[in-house]
Each structure stands twice: as structure tokens, then as C-alpha cells.
Amino acid sequence: MLNHVPRDADQVFHALADANRRAIIERLTRGPAAVSELARLLGVTVAATVQHLKVLQASELVRSEKAGRVRTCQIDPSGLRRAEEWLRLQRTTWEHRLDRLGDVLSENAADHATDAPKEPRS
């Protein structure tokens, strides 16, 4: 699974890099919406909105279904879970590195405190 995390995360972060796609995600967090509603929200054509939705669906951030002539979209949490997992791994790695740096700095500070010459009393 670890081999797939970076590639999957790349897809999700690529999808979220566009402001229009983030606006779609934000709107869908409030519930499902028709493609035409999303197009009005973005102020772009339905065709442009469909292109954005294809990117979001490929990264598993959004799923859609068609009922008659209306395509309705909703959030697909699996893409966000992959991004969250990648961020968690990065955070854990950096927390360990910063903890080690803190230990080294504390050791250096303690070493310098014991090596410092004492001032003569007047």
C-alpha cells in the first residue's frame, strides 16, 4: 500500500489544486448537486464543469450518477482519506525529525553549559 500512497496523493492534490474544483468540493460537502447547479455556481459552461468533475472523479473525490437527463454528484470520501493518510505520514515523519533535533540541541546546550568557564569572583 505504501507504494501507492504517493501516486494516489498526487492525483488528489492535483485535483484540489484548482480553485473551481475546490469550489465544487466545498459545495458538495453540503449535499449532492446536479452538474447544471455546479456550472451555475462556477459561472462556467456545463462542458467545463464536466471536465472538472472528470478530474475529481478520477481522484475519487466525487462520484456521480445519472437519473434520466440529470447527473447528480456527491462527495466520495475515499480520495480525501488517501490525502489525509499521506499528510499523516508526513506529519509523523517531521514530528520525529523535530523531536530528534530538539534532543540534539538540548544535548549541545547542556554540553556548552558544563564547558563554559566560570567567571572569577571579585
Side-chain angles (χ1 to χ4, degrees):
M1 181 177 139
L2 188 57
N3 293 335
H4 299 296
V5 172
R7 184 185 59 80
D8 292 343
D10 285 349
Q11 283 184 308
V12 172
F13 291 123
H14 167 74
L16 294 173
D18 183 86
N20 284 328
R21 292 192 286 264
R22 288 192 308 273
I24 290 171
I25 294 293
E26 186 176 327
R27 166 53 191 87
L28 294 178
T29 61
R30 296 189 303 270
V35 173
S36 57
E37 178 187 343
L38 296 171
R40 281 192 305 275
L41 168 78
L42 299 177
V44 299
T45 64
V46 169
T49 303
V50 167
Q51 292 300 313
H52 285 301
L53 289 168
K54 284 181 181 179
V55 173
L56 291 168
Q57 287 175 315
S59 61
E60 296 180 340
L61 290 166
V62 169
R63 61 177 173 248
S64 69
E65 59 185 39
K66 191 170 185 175
R69 293 181 43 169
V70 178
R71 179 164 295 279
T72 302
C73 303
Q74 62 185 10
I75 290 289
D76 182 348
S78 59
L80 289 174
R81 282 190 203 113
R82 284 196 316 276
E84 182 180 38
E85 175 64 13
W86 185 86
L87 288 169
R88 186 190 64 74
L89 289 171
Q90 297 306 307
R91 183 182 63 241
T92 301
T93 298
W94 279 102
E95 285 173 350
H96 289 299
R97 289 178 180 172
L98 291 172
D99 287 345
R100 287 195 318 254
L101 176 61
D103 293 343
V104 168
L105 292 174
S106 293
E107 289 172 15
N108 282 344
D111 288 347
H112 287 303
T114 59
D115 293 344
K118 295 187 180 187
E119 292 184 26
R121 292 187 180 166
S122 311

